[in-house]
Amino acid sequence: MKHANSIEQSDCYSSSITRQTFLRLVLNGTATLSFAAAGLRFGIAEAMAQAPATVEANVIEVAHGVFVHQGRHGVYAPDNGGDICNTGFIIGDDAVAVVDTGGTALLGAALKARISTLTDRPVRYVINTHMHPDHVLGNAAFKADGCQFVGHEKLAPALLARAERYLAYNKAAVGEKAFAGTEIVLPTVGVADHHEIDLGGRTLALLARATAHTDNDLTVRDEKTGTLFTGDLIFSGHVPTLDGSIRGWLKLLAELEPAAAERIVPGHGPAAMNWPAASAPVKRYLEVVAAGVRAAIASGRTMRDAIETVGESERANWQLFDEFHRRNVSAAFAELEWE
Amino acid sequence: MRTKNTRVRTRLLGVLTIVCAAAMAMGSLAIVTPSPSVAQAPLDDDVWPGIRKELYAARPIAEDDGTLTLEAPVRADDAAVVPITMRVPASMAAQAKALTLVIEKNPMPVAATFTYGPAAGNGERMISTRVRIDMYSNVRAILETTDGKLHMVTKFVKAAGGCSAPALKDQEQALAELGKMKLRLHSQDQSPIVQEAQVMIRHPNYSGMQMNQLTGLYIPAKYVEAMEVKRGDEVVFTMSGGISLSENPNIRFTYAPGGDNEIVVTAKDTDGSVFTARHTPKGS
Ligand SMILES: [Zn+2]
């Protein structure tokens, strides 16, 4: 899909690194680009020129032309700089699509810098899998490039409703320097159900999903390699977080599981996982929570009681359990008591 | 699986960016709210004397005198849905007149006042609900007894951002079901003294501090301001409520059994919409 309004990307993608070099860099596995140079080069925001020069984007090529940067498990904090979820990009013959941009403008810029070491094709699409700030706040780094920002049709309203809070809280949590230049960049294209993107020689199939992890989950499938970016429909290691509908999420997993995929890229966890095996732990966790909450409701127990007791058997299976589990139970209770 | 462009509907939204607004009272949600460690109100900012004066003038208030208890989490798991329970022991029931729940630091501090009627009964009187808490705050329950005296218990709750939290995880579904009510009877046995029931109303209870998801403007406050719960013809309690009650207001309460135990709930929101529900025990 060519776009009449695409802006000339002249100085953004002037990398002279050849395909051979890029493959070598990738195979070496640890090649990184320091951010400071990239920040100046791309002139993203003046404030960012003074940013710490330590933001780098390691990427792994999980399938031919499909790259993933693996974030660390955590919540926004100075020691992780907001680099807490997986981001990635897909390189076509004509263009590059980024799938999630990281938790700050600096992280988005580091990803962009990394892309430019691998290809001279322009980033024409920035796709967001859902509204959560760790996935979308890096969009700011791509704002000046005239690319399309693509998300679920409910992504824009969801972000609008949360913009102030996301910015204020996460800036406080991660520190002003690490948050420099970060702003909300809304999608320019909202997907109602299905959308296709042609990168040249490969097609991405985007599907807007019914409410599950959030009410604006979108999956991205690279048809060429059978790689499915699930966003936060799949967590691994990091306990799932419920900000949508537990019933919807379980239903969606059941629908997704039979679909063939060579691999999936989870929102949190390894760069790539086998499918449908990756679904099992998430499904088990959600089923345990749903069953526990339903039992509590049926026996007339209160939300507070359920929060204290439901799902404790899952504790050993996940990181960040204390940070998110009780809230998940609270959300599941508020949802399921209407059944 | 090759997907076809069968139903492509895209909406051009325009590149709209929102730059970080200046410091507001710190929102709590990083992602889906890990514990809100950065969100603290200045603790020396004592707002209670002003609220107290407005509500009760110079009337004395007895604190922690055993006439009521208040259960609240030390730290909220979800600042927009904080479960709170107030109990008046059976020994005080006959003298209990009204129960007021105050969230000191909220923009509209009185969450609700429950005024008891004759069907509230002489067993333990329990009222449990869910509230929004906007910043670290004292939560106070004040019981007024028939002799005109006031009794208070206080709990400090760490929570932030509850009032401005976006409404409703699934906005569309929730608005489609606005006004839907559910009544549940919880009593396991036919206690001669006390029964327990729960009323739930699908309502966004807009606080006036939430953003409209389409326009980016604040949604005007619109909330359930009054509720009457009756057992048959007798009032269990009437409630006047404010924006501090969570979306989908949810009240669990005790009452005295009697008659055919039919429970009738009537609620009214600030737009004047009236919602009613009744629960008639099986077999009657
Ligand atoms: Zn997420």
Side-chain angles (χ1 to χ4, degrees):
Chain A
M1 190 161 44
K2 292 280 179 193
H3 295 279
N5 65 346
S6 88
I7 289 169
E8 187 55 47
Q9 319 264 331
S10 55
D11 66 344
C12 290
Y13 299 95
S14 56
S15 169
S16 57
I17 294 180
T18 63
R19 192 163 177 84
Q20 280 69 29
T21 315
F22 109 57
L23 285 171
R24 201 170 60 244
L25 286 169
V26 170
L27 291 172
N28 287 342
T30 54
T32 58
L33 190 70
S34 86
F35 167 71
L40 290 169
R41 181 176 162 208
F42 300 136
I44 292 153
E46 252 169 64
M48 293 166 69
Q50 289 131 40
T54 51
V55 179
E56 302 170 336
N58 293 299
V59 295
I60 297 167
E61 187 170 21
V62 299
H64 186 255
V66 181
F67 296 83
V68 175
H69 167 71
Q70 189 183 340
R72 285 174 271 174
H73 291 325
V75 295
Y76 272 86
D79 70 340
N80 60 36
D83 184 12
I84 53 175
C85 76
N86 293 342
T87 59
F89 51 90
I90 300 133
I91 301 174
D93 293 339
D94 302 329
V96 179
V98 175
V99 183
D100 286 344
T101 52
T104 65
L106 286 177
L107 292 165
L111 190 68
K112 183 163 123 171
R114 192 72 182 88
I115 294 167
S116 72
T117 67
L118 299 174
T119 179
D120 56 5
R121 301 292 94 198
V123 174
R124 288 222 179 96
Y125 309 93
V126 171
I127 303 165
N128 291 125
T129 59
H130 65 293
M131 69 189 175
H132 284 149
D134 47 335
H135 299 259
V136 304
L137 290 186
N139 285 12
F142 298 89
K143 199 179 95 175
D145 301 337
C147 44
Q148 279 193 0
F149 290 88
V150 185
H152 192 296
E153 67 169 354
K154 291 182 182 170
L155 173 63
L159 267 176
L160 269 172
R162 293 165 176 82
E164 240 180 320
R165 298 155 61 80
Y166 277 177
L167 292 170
Y169 181 93
N170 293 309
K171 183 180 185 177
V174 80
E176 225 162 285
K177 265 192 176 174
F179 211 66
T182 302
E183 58 184 295
I184 302 278
V185 178
L186 295 176
T188 52
V189 176
V191 180
D193 44 78
H194 172 231
H195 187 58
E196 234 173 51
I197 289 175
D198 181 1
L199 295 177
R202 71 198 311 158
T203 304
L204 305 182
L206 281 54
L207 280 170
R209 305 293 184 168
T211 303
H213 169 63
T214 66
D215 76 353
N216 51 85
D217 301 318
L218 176 92
T219 58
V220 181
R221 184 186 163 90
D222 172 44
E223 301 286 14
K224 186 172 173 183
T225 63
T227 305
L228 179 71
F229 286 77
T230 63
D232 282 1
L233 295 174
I234 297 298
F235 282 75
S236 179
H238 182 312
V239 71
T241 64
L242 175 61
D243 206 7
S245 160
I246 193 165
R247 283 192 298 176
W249 198 344
L250 281 165
K251 184 163 171 258
L252 180 51
L253 289 179
E255 283 166 27
L256 282 173
E257 279 175 4
E262 290 301 314
R263 66 195 65 74
I264 64 111
V265 178
H268 299 264
M273 298 178 76
N274 291 324
W275 190 253
S279 172
V282 182
K283 191 169 151 184
R284 186 200 61 233
Y285 173 80
L286 296 174
E287 279 172 347
V288 165
V289 169
V293 165
R294 283 188 173 116
I297 292 166
S299 60
R301 286 157 61 203
T302 61
M303 172 186 268
R304 183 142 186 238
D305 186 30
I307 289 171
E308 299 293 341
T309 56
V310 168
E312 278 300 313
S313 65
E314 282 291 312
R315 175 178 291 277
N317 299 326
W318 304 99
Q319 296 175 47
L320 300 169
F321 196 81
D322 285 333
E323 283 80 356
F324 295 106
H325 173 72
R326 291 166 60 95
R327 188 185 158 99
N328 289 342
V329 175
S330 171
F333 196 100
E335 177 186 349
L336 296 177
E337 71 186 332
W338 282 94
E339 279 183 325
Chain B
M1 178 182 65
R2 171 102 197 154
T3 40
K4 291 278 176 206
N5 247 350
T6 47
R7 271 178 76 210
V8 180
R9 281 190 288 136
T10 60
R11 195 152 50 105
L12 294 175
L13 295 161
V15 185
L16 173 52
T17 62
I18 297 173
V19 184
C20 180
M24 43 178 281
M26 201 57 75
S28 76
L29 297 202
I31 300 162
V32 236
T33 304
S35 308
S37 54
V38 296
Q40 258 203 67
L43 291 172
D44 54 340
D45 176 19
D46 190 359
V47 297
W48 175 240
I51 298 168
R52 183 203 190 291
K53 195 174 162 202
E54 182 127 334
L55 291 177
Y56 302 113
R59 293 165 65 187
I61 301 178
E63 290 198 52
D64 302 315
D65 63 357
T67 55
L68 76 163
T69 61
L70 171 65
E71 296 158 28
V74 173
R75 183 182 287 279
D77 298 298
D78 181 342
V81 189
V82 183
I84 300 281
T85 299
M86 299 171 287
R87 294 177 195 275
V88 176
S91 59
M92 287 300 296
Q95 302 160 63
K97 185 178 165 191
L99 201 49
T100 296
L101 179 63
V102 172
I103 296 145
E104 237 181 51
K105 294 281 176 67
N106 275 7
M108 190 172 170
V110 177
T113 294
F114 301 87
T115 304
Y116 292 115
N122 289 318
E124 181 193 63
R125 291 189 182 178
M126 182 275 291
I127 289 179
S128 187
T129 189
R130 297 168 197 169
V131 298
R132 297 170 164 140
I133 300 185
D134 212 42
M135 58 180 81
Y136 284 25
S137 177
N138 281 322
V139 174
R140 301 178 186 272
I142 299 126
L143 173 70
E144 182 171 5
T145 41
T146 48
D147 57 8
K149 287 185 176 157
L150 299 167
H151 316 264
M152 179 168 77
V153 284
T154 302
K155 287 272 164 74
F156 186 70
V157 178
K158 295 177 178 176
C163 294
S164 57
L168 312 166
K169 295 186 194 309
D170 192 335
Q171 184 96 336
E172 249 170 48
Q173 188 209 3
L175 290 177
E177 294 182 356
L178 190 146
K180 185 177 163 189
M181 289 176 81
K182 194 168 170 178
L183 251 173
R184 286 186 70 193
L185 300 192
H186 284 293
S187 307
Q188 302 296 317
D189 48 37
Q190 288 299 310
S191 157
I193 299 175
V194 64
Q195 298 279 301
E196 195 173 321
Q198 181 177 15
V199 57
M200 300 157 59
I201 307 176
R202 280 272 192 220
H203 197 289
N205 240 40
Y206 287 129
S207 68
M209 298 170 66
Q210 296 152 303
M211 285 287 183
N212 181 311
Q213 301 199 350
L214 297 174
T215 62
L217 303 172
Y218 287 102
I219 304 167
K222 167 187 162 124
Y223 53 90
V224 174
E225 61 176 0
M227 183 188 291
E228 180 186 62
V229 175
K230 284 178 163 178
R231 188 215 61 215
D233 293 332
E234 290 193 301
V235 172
V236 177
F237 66 82
T238 57
M239 181 203 79
S240 65
I243 62 162
S244 297
L245 291 184
S246 300
E247 71 189 25
N248 299 331
N250 191 314
I251 297 162
R252 191 162 165 162
F253 57 93
T254 51
Y255 62 99
D260 63 0
N261 278 324
E262 182 186 56
I263 293 290
V264 184
V265 178
T266 308
K268 185 166 80 67
D269 74 8
T270 46
D271 282 0
S273 302
V274 175
F275 315 104
T276 57
R278 68 178 61 226
H279 189 291
T280 308
K282 288 186 195 94
S284 49

